[in-house]
Amino acid sequence: MTALAREATSIPASAGLSKAAARDARIDIARGIGMVLVVWGHALYGVMNAGHDTQIHRFELLSIYTTHMALFFILAGLLAGSIRKRSWPEFWSMAFTRVIWPYLLWSVLLKTIHFAMSGYVNTPLKGYAVFDILWKPPSVMWFLYALLLGMILLKLTSAFSRPATVALAAVLFAAGYLLPDLDPQMDWIRTSLRFIAIYLVAAMVGRAGFERLLAPVWVALATGVMGVTLAYAWVDAADPIPGYAAFAPLYIPALLAGPVVAMRLAYAIGATRGGGALGAALALVGRNTMPIFVTHILFTAGVRIVMLELGLTNASLIIALATIIGVIAPLVAAMLADRLRVAAYLGWR
């Protein structure tokens, strides 16, 4: 057992962390860090698209996008070890509960609300074509679509050796950069290919393998890489961001370095007196990533719309409130759904 693994088993269920979190509070904390970054990034995007597209906001966005989705796909891959061992019926049952149902339900709901609010949002819908969610994920839902494709591919390659799977991942990763620009509504495919590749590699490396990168020497190197990347991001932020933020090849090293730094931070927080108040809060967010993920965009957009309608145009204030409410409001909704025993129907458990 590595020293990092021993830290995990020593984390008590005290200091506000429930017994569920004590399964390994660090993973929940890492998810919590990633989820806060997701909400913050979308709050930023909304304000920028509303006319506050400044260099500092572009820098914040690029900084977030170097890390947050790569972190989520790495975490998903590290915990995907059982997929290849499941029978296909077991696999599809798990996939439907955890990914397919939440995707279908919330894609329809988000698209319906988006269309109904077209007079107030930054990007109004010209028509209501609900069935195109089968090939064009709306808004943030591309993540669940890409995750499902990664899971299916991991299962389909059950007979592949680890090197063969990593080689396939390398091809997918390269294809994400080599494919020509697609229709804006379909460009999620290029973005997803990179993250599916990261998911597959993480599944092959496994958690024990990834933990070797959390040794001080590698964390120091990753921190240095992120320092250089953020310096480049500031220069890059001088101009408008074309397409998906931080997609340029120069950001590739950060796809690993960022998650390494974030995971080391999560491990450090989790190993300090059971995580303390900060660890408890992040772990709570991490245990509720699905309800926050599928609903946060409603709250971040709602805060922005209301504040602008009231004449409150301070961009930093809007971003801060949208981020805070975008995390807390879905948490409250998740707790209410648990109390009413409807969370499973909503795709949240």
Side-chain angles (χ1 to χ4, degrees):
M1 181 182 292
T2 66
L4 290 169
R6 285 194 295 271
E7 286 180 18
T9 59
S10 68
I11 298 172
S14 59
L17 293 177
S18 70
K19 292 182 180 179
R23 60 195 178 197
D24 191 335
R26 302 168 309 166
I27 295 299
D28 287 329
I29 290 169
R31 287 195 186 105
I33 291 171
M35 197 70 252
V36 171
L37 291 177
V38 166
V39 178
W40 181 14
H42 290 145
L44 268 167
Y45 248 132
V47 169
M48 290 166 63
N49 290 335
H52 297 274
D53 191 0
T54 65
Q55 183 175 8
I56 186 63
H57 291 146
R58 290 193 290 268
F59 171 70
E60 290 178 52
L61 192 71
L62 288 168
S63 301
I64 292 168
Y65 274 63
T66 61
T67 299
H68 71 331
M69 296 315 300
L71 174 60
F72 269 116
F73 278 96
I74 286 174
L75 285 169
L78 296 180
L79 301 175
S82 68
I83 283 181
R84 285 183 161 181
K85 300 174 184 177
R86 295 174 183 264
S87 67
W88 277 107
E90 290 173 335
F91 170 82
W92 285 117
S93 176
M94 177 271 295
F96 182 83
T97 301
R98 297 184 183 179
V99 182
I100 297 173
W101 173 242
Y103 174 81
L104 293 174
L105 174 64
W106 288 97
S107 289
V108 171
L109 290 175
L110 288 176
K111 191 154 194 174
T112 302
I113 294 170
H114 188 175
F115 181 70
M117 298 294 292
S118 286
Y120 299 93
V121 297
N122 292 328
T123 54
L125 291 180
K126 296 180 180 179
Y128 183 68
V130 70
F131 289 106
D132 66 7
I133 66 169
L134 298 177
W135 62 90
K136 287 194 293 188
S139 186
V140 301
M141 301 305 288
W142 69 268
F143 167 73
L144 292 181
Y145 204 117
L147 180 59
L148 176 63
L149 293 178
M151 292 166 60
I152 293 172
L153 196 54
L154 183 60
K155 177 61 180 169
L156 285 172
T157 58
S158 294
F160 284 28
S161 65
R162 289 188 178 185
T165 305
V166 171
L168 172 62
V171 171
L172 294 175
F173 191 91
Y177 287 94
L178 297 177
L179 284 176
D181 291 341
L182 302 172
D183 176 276
Q185 291 187 321
M186 295 299 292
D187 207 45
W188 66 271
I189 295 174
R190 297 174 66 228
T191 300
S192 297
L193 286 173
R194 298 187 312 158
F195 293 123
I196 291 171
I198 289 171
Y199 170 83
L200 291 175
V201 172
M204 294 301 97
V205 170
R207 187 166 169 189
F210 187 83
E211 282 185 339
R212 295 190 183 99
L213 296 177
L214 302 184
V217 62
W218 296 114
V219 172
L221 178 60
T223 302
V225 169
M226 288 308 297
V228 173
T229 300
L230 295 180
Y232 170 72
W234 175 253
V235 176
D236 195 24
D239 299 312
I241 299 172
Y244 190 85
F247 187 79
L250 285 174
Y251 290 103
I252 290 176
L255 292 174
L256 177 60
V260 166
V261 173
M263 285 286 282
R264 181 63 265 188
L265 176 61
Y267 279 34
I269 294 172
T272 305
R273 297 181 62 188
L278 176 61
L282 288 172
L284 178 63
V285 172
R287 294 194 300 274
N288 289 277
T289 51
M290 184 63 81
I292 297 173
F293 179 76
V294 298
T295 65
H296 76 274
I297 201 74
L298 300 175
F299 296 104
T300 57
V303 169
R304 183 186 70 249
I305 291 169
V306 169
M307 292 185 71
L308 291 177
E309 287 291 320
L310 294 174
L312 302 173
T313 59
N314 184 289
S316 297
L317 179 61
I318 295 173
I319 293 166
L321 287 178
T323 302
I324 293 169
I325 295 175
V327 173
I328 293 177
L331 273 177
V332 173
M335 293 174 186
L336 180 61
D338 285 336
R339 182 176 291 272
L340 297 176
R341 299 182 180 180
V342 297
Y345 299 105
L346 295 173
W348 294 352
R349 301 289 183 234

